[in-house]
Amino acid sequence: MSKESRCKVKICGTTSIQDACLAADAGADYSGVLVDVASSERSLTTKKAAKIASTSPIPTVLLLYNRTTSDMQTIISIIQPFALQLLGQETPQQVEELRDTCECQLWKSIYLPAGSPENVDMTSVRKQMSEYQDAGADFLLFDSVDISVDPPRYGGTGKTCDWNVAAELISGSPLPVFFAGGIRPDNVRAAIETIKPYGIDLCSGVEASKGIKDKSKLERLMEQINSCDYSG
């Protein structure tokens, strides 16, 4: 399957240029870099992220969590990413402000609870999706929030949400959607064929250890994705 016709792939939690190159060599489309995200063991400084973004062979997605608009504008100007992914509870108004001042794409994470579908307020999620589209977001990203811990962990949980709920929401989404949360080489094909997202996004599922990517896992992931029956 050609790269243009398959599900897109973002490998997140990149902590080195070596790992960005591993993702690129395997055939991934994007590399995700977290900056100053206190809850993540894979978070980098602005300076290190800028170095990776300037040398990565694939586009870099910068991930920020609950920063002020002016902070985000400053960090974007330094790193110059292909896209900014907003990980937290950033408002549609902030997306509008960034849209007016930044040239990079804007991606917004929306969280579905890990595990049981009865915890999902479908009306609220659809409202969020519509509001972020109206504000100027380019892509949405569904990820899992682990509500079994205090405080809840947003993203990077390694846990799955209900795939059928995600599939229903994605089928009616006003924007293309990446899907994250508990994706691994051994379940990625089933996830794509069930959920039919525009893209998938994963981190721990292709790591040798936290923050270090595994070449063989990346290769197995891409083999599975290239063999999918994909109509996203």
Side-chain angles (χ1 to χ4, degrees), residues 7 163 166-167 170-171 177 179 190-199 229-232:
C7 183
W163 286 2
I170 285 173
S171 69
V177 179
F179 181 77
I192 290 171
E193 292 180 353
T194 300
I195 301 165
K196 300 189 183 306
Y198 173 83
D229 176 13
Y230 177 65
S231 55

Side-chain angles (χ1 to χ4, degrees), residues 112-183:
L112 304 177
S116 303
E118 63 265 19
N119 293 324
V120 182
D121 184 340
M122 302 287 276
T123 301
S124 174
V125 174
R126 289 191 175 103
K127 183 172 183 287
Q128 289 181 63
M129 294 165 72
S130 178
E131 288 175 345
Y132 287 116
Q133 179 205 25
D134 292 344
D138 296 288
F139 289 91
L140 300 175
L141 189 140
F142 285 174
D143 203 346
S144 299
V145 53
D146 185 0
I147 57 177
S148 69
V149 295
D150 185 24
R153 175 153 183 160
Y154 289 88
T157 65
K159 298 183 177 183
T160 61
C161 66
D162 185 273
W163 286 2
N164 293 317
V165 168
E168 182 179 343
L169 289 165
I170 285 173
S171 69
S173 175
L175 291 172
V177 179
F178 279 77
F179 181 77
I183 301 296

Side-chain angles (χ1 to χ4, degrees), residues 8-116:
K8 298 296 184 286
V9 182
K10 172 172 164 268
I11 302 300
C12 205
T14 302
T15 59
S16 67
I17 187 57
Q18 290 84 0
D19 280 358
C21 290
L22 280 182
D25 290 345
D29 300 282
Y30 305 99
S31 170
V33 177
L34 294 92
V35 170
D36 296 332
V37 178
S39 63
S40 176
E41 308 85 350
R42 304 168 183 91
S43 185
L44 305 178
T45 63
T46 300
K47 183 177 180 180
K48 188 166 184 180
K51 186 173 181 180
I52 293 173
S54 67
T55 52
S56 173
I58 51 177
T60 296
V61 180
L62 163 66
L63 290 86
L64 299 176
Y65 182 82
N66 284 352
R67 304 293 291 265
T68 66
T69 302
S70 60
D71 276 352
M72 291 190 283
Q73 290 165 335
T74 298
I75 296 169
I76 288 169
S77 70
I78 295 168
I79 296 176
Q80 298 185 16
F82 171 80
L84 167 65
Q85 181 179 333
L86 304 172
L87 289 176
Q89 289 74 49
E90 299 86 3
T91 64
Q93 181 182 355
Q94 283 184 285
V95 174
E96 285 185 11
E97 291 167 352
L98 291 166
R99 178 81 291 152
D100 290 341
T101 58
C102 301
E103 294 183 1
C104 66
Q105 287 192 359
L106 298 176
W107 301 12
K108 181 66 185 79
S109 293
I110 291 178
Y111 293 95
L112 304 177
S116 303

Side-chain angles (χ1 to χ4, degrees), residues 186-207:
D186 63 355
N187 70 3
V188 67
R189 181 170 179 169
I192 290 171
E193 292 180 353
T194 300
I195 301 165
K196 300 189 183 306
Y198 173 83
I200 58 104
D201 182 348
L202 69 161
C203 180
S204 60
V206 287
E207 286 184 328

